[in-house]
Amino acid sequence: MRFDILTLFPDMFGGPFDESIIRRGQDKGLIQIALHQIRDYTVDRHRTVDDAPYGGGAGMLMKPEPLSAAIESVKKLNTDATVLLTTPQGRPLTQKLAQELSLKPGLIIICGRYEGIDERIHQHYVDQEISIGDYVLSGGELAAMVLVDSVTRLVPGVLGSDESAQTDSFGDGLLEYPQYTRPPEFNGLPVPAPLLSGNHAEIIRWRREQSLKRTAERRPDLLTQAVLSDKDRLFLKSLGVSNVS
Ligand code: ADE
C-alpha cells in the first residue's frame, strides 16, 4: 500500500511515522509513505498557498492551483490511488472504513488547513472526505496520521500473528473484553476464575460475554450493527438489553 500525503507541514509526521507499527510496515516493504510539501507546487515568488474567500468572512482558504498541481503530480506516482481529504465535514472514520481503505491499491491524503480548501478541488479530485471525530483540529495532519495508522495495521503482514487485528475492539463490531496478566491477585483483586480454569471453551464464552456486557454499558449504539448469535442475544436479554441487531 502506498500513501502519498500532501501537507504544508511535512515535519509534523516525523515521530509517528518513524516508530512502532508504521515503521515496521515500511521496513518490511508492505507500506510506502511519501510526504509532499504543497508549497513546492506554487509558482509565485512568495510561494502563496492561501487566499481570502469570495463573499468575505473570517479566515483564509487553500488556493486551488498549488493543490491541483500537487495532486496531478502525485497521481502519476500512485496510479489508481483513492484521493482522500481530512476534514471535520467528512465521513466518520470507523474500523469498517479503515478496513475498506486497507483494500485500496493506494491512498493520496490531502491535509486541509486554514478555514478549508476551494470547493473545486473537492469536486475535481476528492473521492472521499474523512473526519476522525466531531471536533475541530488545527489542521488535517493529525487526522492523516490517525488514518494511516488505522489502515496500516490492517495491511496483511504488518502485524505479527500474536497481534492479530481480528481481536481488536471493533474487529467484530464489539468492544474488547478485559485482559489480565500475572500476578493472579493484585491489590486485592483476583483474576476472574474462568481465565484460570484452563477450559478453552469456558474462556471463549467468558470473553464473549464480557465484550457484550462492556459494549452494552459503554457503547450500546454498536449493538445494533454487531453480528450476534442467538446465545449472545439471550445473554444480553439477561442484562436487560433488547434493542440489538
Ligand atoms: N481537520 C480538522 N479537524 C478534523 C477532524 N476532526 N477530522 C479530520 N480532519 C480534520
Side-chain angles (χ1 to χ4, degrees):
M1 159 78 77
R2 180 181 166 113
F3 298 93
D4 282 280
I5 299 175
L6 310 186
T7 171
L8 290 171
F9 299 96
D11 291 347
M12 283 179 73
F13 293 81
F17 284 3
D18 289 341
E19 305 281 345
S20 187
I21 304 286
I22 297 184
R23 170 81 270 147
R24 202 197 303 165
Q26 294 175 90
D27 290 347
K28 284 185 176 174
L30 296 169
I31 63 159
Q32 295 80 39
I33 305 177
L35 297 161
H36 307 271
Q37 169 58 268
I38 296 165
R39 216 174 275 284
D40 290 346
Y41 295 87
T42 55
V43 288
D44 66 314
R45 204 156 54 87
H46 300 290
R47 292 165 51 89
T48 312
V49 289
D50 61 337
D51 206 344
Y54 275 116
M60 299 287 270
L61 297 181
M62 287 173 81
K63 285 168 66 61
E65 305 94 319
L67 268 173
S68 161
I71 297 165
E72 293 285 358
S73 160
V74 163
K75 275 186 149 193
K76 291 187 188 123
L77 305 170
N78 198 346
T79 45
D80 293 334
T82 299
V83 180
L84 306 177
L85 169 71
T86 51
T87 160
Q89 282 127 48
R91 176 175 165 191
L93 179 61
T94 58
Q95 192 66 14
K96 183 165 168 275
L97 177 52
Q99 265 149 5
E100 275 175 42
L101 295 174
S102 73
L103 303 174
K104 304 276 186 197
L107 298 175
I108 294 172
I109 307 174
I110 307 166
C111 303
R113 272 273 152 180
Y114 305 106
E115 299 304 308
I117 68 175
D118 188 285
E119 185 63 21
R120 291 161 291 186
I121 292 292
H122 299 245
Q123 289 168 351
H124 263 283
Y125 295 110
V126 177
D127 297 311
Q128 278 198 57
E129 300 184 12
I130 295 184
S131 163
I132 64 159
D134 291 341
Y135 41 82
V136 179
L137 301 166
S138 308
E141 282 75 11
L142 289 169
M145 292 177 214
V146 169
L147 187 56
V148 170
D149 188 286
S150 64
V151 171
T152 294
R153 44 189 294 108
L154 297 171
V155 171
V158 169
L159 292 186
S161 54
D162 55 341
E163 301 166 312
S164 166
Q166 211 41 54
T167 59
D168 280 348
S169 283
F170 307 116
D172 56 4
L174 297 175
L175 300 185
E176 205 184 342
Y177 46 78
Q179 298 264 44
Y180 296 82
T181 183
R182 282 179 290 192
E185 190 182 309
F186 176 71
N187 277 0
L189 297 171
V191 172
L195 296 179
L196 304 172
S197 68
N199 179 332
H200 194 56
E202 191 183 341
I203 293 170
I204 289 179
R205 194 62 221 159
W206 182 85
R207 286 181 164 165
R208 182 74 186 172
E209 289 182 358
Q210 292 297 313
S211 275
L212 292 163
K213 182 164 175 278
R214 198 168 252 201
T215 309
E217 283 164 3
R218 300 182 186 186
R219 291 292 307 277
D221 56 301
L222 295 177
L223 288 175
T224 56
Q225 303 289 323
V227 183
L228 301 175
S229 67
D230 288 345
K231 219 169 172 185
D232 293 335
R233 280 191 207 91
L234 261 178
F235 175 73
L236 285 166
K237 217 169 162 199
S238 77
L239 300 178
V241 181
S242 53
N243 57 332
V244 296
S245 63

